[in-house]
């Protein structure tokens, strides 16, 4: 009996104590997603820091894996905005956006979905994806383009792939890379291994680089990996769409043989920020909406911050704030 | 006598021979069948096309989302409110206040040792720069545990009062425990939003079973004499329940709370995938950046936190031992050191200060009691008396509150303490990262890992994968049904058939065979490594003690932490997945081997030795057969844990059903994820039941 009383008093007193100190806070609030790759985190952190500095926002950030789930969470209003979506990888964009994507005045993409997610504007980052091999391997074997790969496939083989070479492939099936399909269409005798997470792919690549072993890695740029390790792209054929309506779901792409996607490389990705339409229609968030329309972070700036964050292991907020302090000319123009 | 044994054994032996040859025959046929088939065996298309389980689930989910989301949103908003309230309080408060809120209860409940340990834990959070995430985890876990205990005790009491309700709850509880949390983590998001609320609810699903079970058994175990004497004194049924049964089952309930805390901590870490903040998120971020040191620091924060909460909740169910009056009570050093005079001298000041603090606390409490009694008595004498008495019994809580308020007062009016001081930072990241990187490029070590990888892949994984996926599905199903018929019975054989047909009809037969093969390989490796370790531990107590600490750490450390080193050493892919599974699921088999062998009573081995049995003979012929039941339980737990790990291994290249779950979730295709999740649960249940039944038979055969 004594025990139960002890416990009940403990709980009760804690509640009481919390009650005396709890307090409310009144600021303009938004809820943003923290992306699951560092580039995306930095882009969003730049936006968040500027909104907090210049417009007095208090922004709550939540780590959230990218993919269709994130788009649905934004459409449902669970989150207010997310940053740097890469059109090549997104599945939900053509279903949920209904707007043109404009980069420096040019229309670089247009969507005709149901409009349940609002395209806030370009993030500025232009992404590029390719297959990469370390420079020491390229020089040793004299590999210039993807056409030379078959001659050296044995060097790239592992226990699991047997005679074929191994590609550390696009890690997540939901990104729709169609790596194995591409390799087969191009006649590259490699096996694409999906490792499930970016971390897994990079961990293996990093370890292999440290041991100076040959390996081929799918990766996108800008990425911190290129800041630390010297990699060469294999220059996949230039991106070609197969048909006006390309794929929407995995496996649901048109088979054009070698004429178009996925027998080619990726398109240039004009990345974009996106948010909940209801939130950004509110007059109190007009400033934020305007800001997102103007925002345009350059690749080179993100790459510099990537090196600080991922190689020098510094805190993201610290790095972003330092960049904002030192380069006001680069972002003041987004405020208009 | 000897003749009798022989006669008895003869038919038995020939029966055994028949059994073995049948097993061999079945195996040979399966080998032939699998070598005949050209591709992986698939379920007939007619069935899989008709049985669109995934579509049904998704339609059901859409319907629920459309029509009932408003209810779940209201629930979520309440939970969210409570969570932010606690979280804001913890994070915005001065760090000294938080430290004392954690330190004082530990000191009061667990004595000086636990108190000092809690100080170390809190320091570690701050020193590694994980002050806020740690407190977020504490808030999340605290709320989940409160809600689990509240609902769990109610449900447990209901179970104890009605057998019908208990039977109804049992399968539900089983499913709650085995179902991989990932399966419901993501759907929870769409009903309850992001962050705290769905995390807390998912934690409740995962962590509530033990408290329901233990409350139920605790109440049911109250002796019938006690109940009878209470009834004869005229207690009503409700009085009996609340005044007798529940108080008497409190130790059992406290045990349940302890388990709830541990399980809640494990899941709260996982909840970072649905946007819950805390250490889990930190560890996950560290892993994405391949920062082994950072991930390890996060893991240690959780490990230390878990030990602290474990000891804290245990201290409530532990009774205080009474010492004879002439013995000096020790507060810090082990009591057994009482015989050394130097220890007595060292303890002297502690004991003095204990008495001093005790005296002050008593005075403060009595004074407060007197004042409040006096003040309230002006209005109502009886209430005043009651309150006075209530306060005067709480020697420690009242002074603790004085300390809390004093700190809060100083913080807001005199000197702001703020968050944890930056200067006290102390990081162990770099050394850990450096040592992992040194190993990564160490040629000898890499030759070893490559050899191991090649061996596991070429000799175990690939043959088994091909074998299991290529056997026609009807043959595998038949073998499973036959095994369950002979070990458990006809009813379970039918259930097995239905469960396997369900898996096949969902169109995930090949994936489930891959999962089965990964689990089998992992379990074989666990067995090969774990049993020898268990044997050594059973002979050497010091080794056992060290091993126990390591195993405890392995089980509490979030498994994310060791994924990156495994990847760096072995590369991604199914071999790494198997190795991670082995690390995660090996502890039970080691523990239970050691336990089983040490439990074999000394007389048996004594007898064996006096008949001239060597150490090996004793082990082989006497101890092992007697330890089999315990070994099988260890095996059983290892299998279940290996299945549970299948849901995580896709993060580092695992294949099979776990990958299906992930792919389903990545496309927010709940049906696909759920089907694969159910597949894992069903396989686990089948193997669990079969091995349990087999143990039971073994026990009966041994007459235990």
């Amino acid at each position: 009996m004594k025990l139960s009383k002890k416990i009940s008093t403990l709980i009760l007193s804690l509640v009481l104590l919390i009650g005396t100190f709890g307090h409310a806070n009144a600021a303009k609030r938004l809820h943003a997603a923290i992306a699951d790759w560092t580039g995306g985190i930095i882009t969003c952190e730049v936006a968040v820091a500027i909104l907090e500095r210049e417009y007095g926002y208090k922004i709550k950030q939540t780590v959230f894996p990218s993919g269709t789930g994130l788009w649905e969470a934004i459409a449902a209003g669970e989150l207010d905005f997310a940053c740097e979506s890469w059109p090549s990888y997104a599945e939900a964009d053509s279903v949920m956006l209904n707007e043109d994507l404009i980069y420096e005045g040019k229309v670089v993409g247009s969507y005709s979905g149901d409009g349940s997610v609002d395209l806030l504007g370009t993030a500025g980052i232009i992404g590029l994806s390719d297959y990469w091999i370390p420079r020491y391997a390229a020089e040793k074997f004299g590999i210039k383009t993807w056409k030379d790969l078959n001659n050296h496939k044995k060097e790239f083989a592992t226990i699991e792939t047997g005679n074929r070479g191994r590609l550390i492939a696009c890690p997540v099936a939901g990104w729709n890379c169609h790596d194995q399909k591409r390799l087969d269409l191009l006649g590259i005798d490699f096996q694409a291994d999906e490792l499930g997470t970016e971390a897994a792919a990079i961990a293996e690549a990093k370890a292999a680089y440290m041991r100076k072993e040959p390996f081929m890695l799918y990766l996108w740029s800008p990425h911190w990996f290129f800041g630390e390790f010297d990699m060469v792209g294999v220059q996949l054929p230039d991106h070609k769409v197969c048909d006006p309506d390309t794929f929407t779901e995995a496996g649901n792409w048109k088979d054009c043989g070698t004429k178009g996607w996925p027998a080619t490389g990726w398109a240039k990705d004009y990345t974009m920020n996106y948010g909940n339409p209801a939130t950004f229609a509110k007059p109190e968030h007009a400033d934020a909406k305007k800001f997102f329309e103007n925002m345009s972070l350059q690749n080179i700036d993100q790459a510099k911050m990537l090196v600080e964050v991922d190689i020098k292991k510094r805190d993201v907020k610290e790095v972003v704030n330092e960049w904002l302090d030192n380069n006001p000319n680069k972002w003041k123009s987004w405020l208009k | 006598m000897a003749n009798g044994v022989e006669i008895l054994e003869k038919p038995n032996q020939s029966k055994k021979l028949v059994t073995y040859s049948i097993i061999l025959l079945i195996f040979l046929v399966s080998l032939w069948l699998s070598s005949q088939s050209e591709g992986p065996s698939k379920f007939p298309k007619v069935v899989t096309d008709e049985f669109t389980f995934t579509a049904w689930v998704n339609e059901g989910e859409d319907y629920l989302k459309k029509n009932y989301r408003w209810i779940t949103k209201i629930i979520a908003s309440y939970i969210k409110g409570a969570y932010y309230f606690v979280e804001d309080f913890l994070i915005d408060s001065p760090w000294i206040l938080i430290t004392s809120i954690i330190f004082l209860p530990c000191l009061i409940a667990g004595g000086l040792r636990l108190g000092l340990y809690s100080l170390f834990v809190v320091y570690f959070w701050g020193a590694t720069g994980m002050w806020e995430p740690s407190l977020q985890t504490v808030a999340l876990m605290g709320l989940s545990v409160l809600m689990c205990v509240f609902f769990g005790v109610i449900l447990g009491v209901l179970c104890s009062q009605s057998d019908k309700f208990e039977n109804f709850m049992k399968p539900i509880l089983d499913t709650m425990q085995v179902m991989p949390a990932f399966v419901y983590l993501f759907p929870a998001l769409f009903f309850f939003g992001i962050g705290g609320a769905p995390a807390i609810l998912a934690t409740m699903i995962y962590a509530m079973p033990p408290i329901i079970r233990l409350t139920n058994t605790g109440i049911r175990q109250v002796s019938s004499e006690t109940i009878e004497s209470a009834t004869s004194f005229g207690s009503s049924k409700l009085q009996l329940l609340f005044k007798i049964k529940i108080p008497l089952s409190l130790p059992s309930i406290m045990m349940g709370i302890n388990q709830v805390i541990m399980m809640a901590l494990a899941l709260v870490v996982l909840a970072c995938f649905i946007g819950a903040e805390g250490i889990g998120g930190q560890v996950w971020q560290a892993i994405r950046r391949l920062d082994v040191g950072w991930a390890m620091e996060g893991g240690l924060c959780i490990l230390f936190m878990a030990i602290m909460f474990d000891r804290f909740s245990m201290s409530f169910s532990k009774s205080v031992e009474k010492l004879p009056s002439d013995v000096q009570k020790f507060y810090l050093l082990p009591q057994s050191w009482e015989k050394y005079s130097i220890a007595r001298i060292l303890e002297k000041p502690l004991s003095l200060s204990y008495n001093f603090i005790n005296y002050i606390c008593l005075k403060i409490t009595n004074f407060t009691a007197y004042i409040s009694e006096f003040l309230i008595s002006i209005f109502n004498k009886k209430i005043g008396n009651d309150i006075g008495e209530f306060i005067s019994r709480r020697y420690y809580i009242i002074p603790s509150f004085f300390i809390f308020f004093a700190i809060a007062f100083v913080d807001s009016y005199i000197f702001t303490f703020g968050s944890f001081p930056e200067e006290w930072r102390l990081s162990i990241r770099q050394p850990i990262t450096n040592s992992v990187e040194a190993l990564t490029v160490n040629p000898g070590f890499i030759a070893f890992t490559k050899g191991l990888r090649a061996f596991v892949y070429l000799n175990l994984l690939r043959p088994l994968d091909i074998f299991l996926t290529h056997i026609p599905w009807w043959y595998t199903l038949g073998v499973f049904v036959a095994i369950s018929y002979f070990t458990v019975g006809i009813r379970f054989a039918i259930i097995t058939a239905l469960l396997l047909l369900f898996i096949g009809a969902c169109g995930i037969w090949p994936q489930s065979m891959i999962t089965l093969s990964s689990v089998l390989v992992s379990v074989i490796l666990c067995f090969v490594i774990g049993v020898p370790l268990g044997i050594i531990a059973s002979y050497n107590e010091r080794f056992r003690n060290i091993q126990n600490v390591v195993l405890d750490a392995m089980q509490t450390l979030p498994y994310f932490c060791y994924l990156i080193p495994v990847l760096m050493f072995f590369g991604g892919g199914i071999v790494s997945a198997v190795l991670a599974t082995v690390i995660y699921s090996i502890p039970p088999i080691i523990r239970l081997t050691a336990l089983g062998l040490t439990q074999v009573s000394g007389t048996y081995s004594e007898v064996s030795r006096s008949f001239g049995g060597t150490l090996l003979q004793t082990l082989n012929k006497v101890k092992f057969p007697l330890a089999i039941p315990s070994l099988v339980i260890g095996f059983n737990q290892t299998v279940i844990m290996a299945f549970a790990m299948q849901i995580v291994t896709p993060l580092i290249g695992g294949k099979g059903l776990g990958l299906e779950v992930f792919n389903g979730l990545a496309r927010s295709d709940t049906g696909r994820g759920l089907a694969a999740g159910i597949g894992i649960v069903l396989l686990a249940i089948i193997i669990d039941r079969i091995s349990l039944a087999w143990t039971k038979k073994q026990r009966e055969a041994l007459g235990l």
Side-chain angles (χ1 to χ4, degrees), chain B residues 460 464 519-529:
Chain B
L460 295 170
L464 202 61
V519 168
L520 281 180
V521 172
S522 315
V523 171
I524 291 169
L525 287 176
C526 282
F527 210 76
V528 171
I529 304 168

Side-chain angles (χ1 to χ4, degrees), chain A residues 72 76, chain B residues 58-73 186-187 189-192 668 670:
Chain A
E72 286 193 9
Chain B
N58 288 341
E59 274 161 28
E61 194 198 0
D62 285 343
Y63 175 78
L64 287 176
K65 256 193 224 167
K66 243 179 231 142
N67 297 301
Y68 294 99
R69 184 133 89 178
W70 61 276
I71 302 178
T72 56
K73 287 276 154 149
F186 283 81
L189 192 125
F190 292 108
F191 290 104
F192 299 101
S668 63
T670 310

Side-chain angles (χ1 to χ4, degrees), chain B residues 210-261:
Chain B
I211 187 137
I212 299 178
R213 280 182 217 267
L214 280 160
T215 308
N216 179 21
T217 47
I219 291 177
R220 275 170 192 269
Q221 271 167 0
V222 173
S223 75
S224 52
E225 287 127 49
T226 321
I227 295 171
E228 216 154 284
S229 61
T231 342
S232 65
F233 277 109
S235 309
S236 70
K237 222 178 163 193
L238 272 182
Q239 273 177 334
L240 187 69
L241 184 66
F242 284 103
K243 303 263 158 159
I244 309 285
K245 283 184 174 174
I246 295 183
L248 277 176
S249 58
L250 264 182
S252 176
I253 295 178
M254 284 313 293
M255 190 75 183
I257 294 179
N258 177 272
Q259 287 200 22
V260 167
I261 292 177

Side-chain angles (χ1 to χ4, degrees), chain A residues 63-121:
Chain A
V63 179
F64 203 93
S66 51
T68 311
L70 176 56
W71 287 77
E72 286 193 9
I74 285 179
E78 296 297 339
L79 287 165
D80 293 317
F81 69 91
C83 310
E84 213 194 291
S85 170
W86 291 45
S88 294
Y89 299 88
E91 221 170 36
D93 57 351
S94 51
V95 188
M96 295 176 137
L97 294 178
N98 189 1
E99 239 169 296
D100 285 344
L101 176 62
I102 297 162
Y103 183 81
E104 288 181 348
K106 274 185 301 184
V107 176
V108 289
S110 57
Y111 295 98
S112 51
D114 62 5
S116 53
V117 170
D118 190 11
L119 201 169
L120 294 175

Side-chain angles (χ1 to χ4, degrees), chain B residues 344-623:
Chain B
R344 279 206 296 276
I345 294 167
L346 281 174
E347 282 280 344
K348 202 84 202 163
L350 288 178
S351 135
L352 283 178
S353 53
Y354 174 80
N355 288 334
F356 178 66
I357 291 171
N358 221 6
Y359 178 77
I360 290 191
C361 286
L362 201 67
K363 283 288 165 223
I364 292 178
T365 313
N366 283 341
F367 183 68
T368 324
Y370 178 75
I371 296 278
S372 36
E373 188 180 340
F374 178 76
L375 284 177
I376 297 168
S377 296
I378 298 172
F379 304 104
N380 185 330
K381 193 131 199 206
K382 182 151 187 329
I383 297 178
N385 275 336
D386 284 352
I387 288 179
E389 199 177 325
F390 178 83
I391 292 176
S392 63
R393 280 221 213 107
R394 270 140 202 87
Y395 312 120
Y396 296 120
I397 291 171
I398 302 295
S400 302
F401 268 80
F402 274 107
I403 296 179
F404 297 155
F405 283 114
I407 292 171
F409 178 78
V410 170
D411 180 66
S412 33
Y413 295 108
I414 300 169
F415 170 78
T416 314
F417 294 113
S419 197
F420 194 83
E422 241 355 86
E423 310 84 69
W424 291 9
R425 285 287 278 274
L426 187 85
S427 184
I428 50 167
R429 275 176 210 188
Q430 212 49 47
I432 297 178
T433 310
N434 287 348
S435 49
V436 169
E437 292 197 346
L439 268 180
T440 312
V441 290
N442 183 315
F445 183 69
I446 290 308
F448 162 73
T449 61
K450 283 215 165 132
L452 188 63
R453 179 177 170 185
F455 173 79
V456 171
Y457 182 73
L458 293 178
N459 298 317
L460 295 170
L461 265 177
R462 198 175 58 171
L464 202 61
D465 261 357
I466 295 175
F467 174 61
L468 282 177
T469 47
H470 281 61
I471 311 175
W473 61 269
W474 47 267
Y475 193 81
T476 317
L477 196 145
V479 171
F480 264 107
V481 170
I483 294 175
S484 28
Y485 173 71
F486 285 114
T487 48
V488 190
I490 181 76
R491 243 184 84 186
F492 189 65
I494 297 171
I495 293 174
T496 307
L498 288 176
L499 298 185
L500 287 175
L501 281 174
F502 173 82
I503 292 178
C506 285
I508 48 175
W509 186 265
Q511 285 92 334
S512 57
M513 285 300 114
I514 291 176
T515 296
L516 194 61
S517 111
S518 303
V519 168
L520 281 180
V521 172
S522 315
V523 171
I524 291 169
L525 287 176
C526 282
F527 210 76
V528 171
I529 304 168
V531 170
L533 283 176
I535 294 174
I536 301 173
S538 77
Y539 280 101
N540 184 335
E541 198 175 339
R542 184 168 290 170
F543 185 78
R544 184 164 68 232
N545 289 338
I546 296 171
Q547 200 179 50
N548 275 340
V549 174
V550 175
L551 293 183
D552 277 339
M554 270 166 79
Q555 282 185 310
T556 338
L557 209 62
Y559 34 60
F560 295 161
C561 295
Y562 46 76
L563 292 186
I564 291 295
V566 167
L567 279 168
M568 302 268 275
F569 301 151
F570 293 92
I574 41 179
V575 178
S576 293
V578 163
L579 291 174
T581 312
V582 171
I583 299 177
Y584 178 69
S585 47
I586 205 170
I589 193 117
I590 302 180
R591 267 184 224 270
L592 281 148
T593 310
L595 186 77
L597 291 177
T598 38
Q599 265 179 354
V600 172
S601 81
T603 37
Y604 284 109
S605 33
E606 205 61 29
V607 168
S608 149
R609 219 168 299 145
S610 63
F611 276 105
T614 62
L615 192 71
L616 258 181
Q617 274 174 334
T618 314
L619 192 64
N620 202 8
K621 303 267 162 158
V622 179
K623 280 194 168 181

Side-chain angles (χ1 to χ4, degrees), chain A residues 34-57:
Chain A
I34 298 180
D36 48 4
W37 72 100
T38 316
I41 294 176
I42 289 175
T43 306
C44 230
E45 193 58 52
V46 169
V48 165
I50 293 175
L51 286 174
E52 286 188 339
R53 274 185 184 200
E54 303 290 327
Y55 300 106
Y57 272 95

Side-chain angles (χ1 to χ4, degrees), chain B residues 123-351:
Chain B
Y123 167 72
F124 191 84
W125 295 345
T128 51
M130 305 226 188
W131 182 256
E132 281 192 17
S134 299
L135 291 178
Q136 283 166 332
T137 300
V138 169
L140 213 53
M141 191 211 65
L143 269 181
S144 320
V145 169
L146 271 186
M147 290 183 63
C148 279
V149 170
F150 181 73
F151 290 106
V153 168
I154 291 177
L155 286 173
V157 169
L158 287 179
C159 276
S160 71
Q161 298 304 300
S162 144
D163 287 338
K164 244 188 205 160
F165 190 69
E166 192 193 9
N167 288 335
F168 166 74
M169 281 302 284
K170 254 189 182 160
I172 299 181
L173 293 182
D174 284 340
T175 322
M176 278 160 78
Q177 276 187 310
V178 194
M179 186 63 120
F182 269 109
V183 175
Y184 49 80
L185 216 48
F186 283 81
L189 192 125
F190 292 108
F191 290 104
F192 299 101
I194 274 180
I200 288 170
L201 288 162
T203 311
M204 283 176 67
I205 297 181
Y206 181 72
M208 219 161 46
I211 187 137
I212 299 178
R213 280 182 217 267
L214 280 160
T215 308
N216 179 21
T217 47
I219 291 177
R220 275 170 192 269
Q221 271 167 0
V222 173
S223 75
S224 52
E225 287 127 49
T226 321
I227 295 171
E228 216 154 284
S229 61
T231 342
S232 65
F233 277 109
S235 309
S236 70
K237 222 178 163 193
L238 272 182
Q239 273 177 334
L240 187 69
L241 184 66
F242 284 103
K243 303 263 158 159
I244 309 285
K245 283 184 174 174
I246 295 183
L248 277 176
S249 58
L250 264 182
S252 176
I253 295 178
M254 284 313 293
M255 190 75 183
I257 294 179
N258 177 272
Q259 287 200 22
V260 167
I261 292 177
M262 291 293 122
M263 292 177 75
L265 253 184
L267 198 79
V268 160
V269 175
L270 214 61
C272 65
F273 282 99
I274 52 168
E277 298 95 337
I279 301 183
Q282 293 280 312
V283 174
W284 186 232
Q285 274 191 47
I287 282 177
R288 278 199 10 270
R289 292 213 234 154
L290 305 187
D291 193 332
V292 190
W294 184 10
M296 211 59 197
E297 276 181 0
L300 288 176
C301 278
I302 291 185
L303 177 64
F304 293 149
M305 188 192 290
I307 296 174
M308 180 175 81
F309 282 123
D310 178 56
R311 297 294 131 83
F312 179 68
S313 54
M314 289 285 238
S315 64
F316 278 99
S317 43
K318 228 194 282 175
S319 55
V320 187
E321 50 184 309
K322 284 251 158 55
L323 292 167
S325 55
D326 57 331
V327 173
Q328 184 187 340
K329 187 171 166 18
F330 274 21
Y331 295 98
L332 187 63
L333 304 169
Q335 189 70 46
S336 60
W337 291 10
E338 213 261 341
K339 49 185 181 280
Y340 308 114
S341 64
I342 189 141
R344 279 206 296 276
I345 294 167
L346 281 174
E347 282 280 344
K348 202 84 202 163
L350 288 178
S351 135

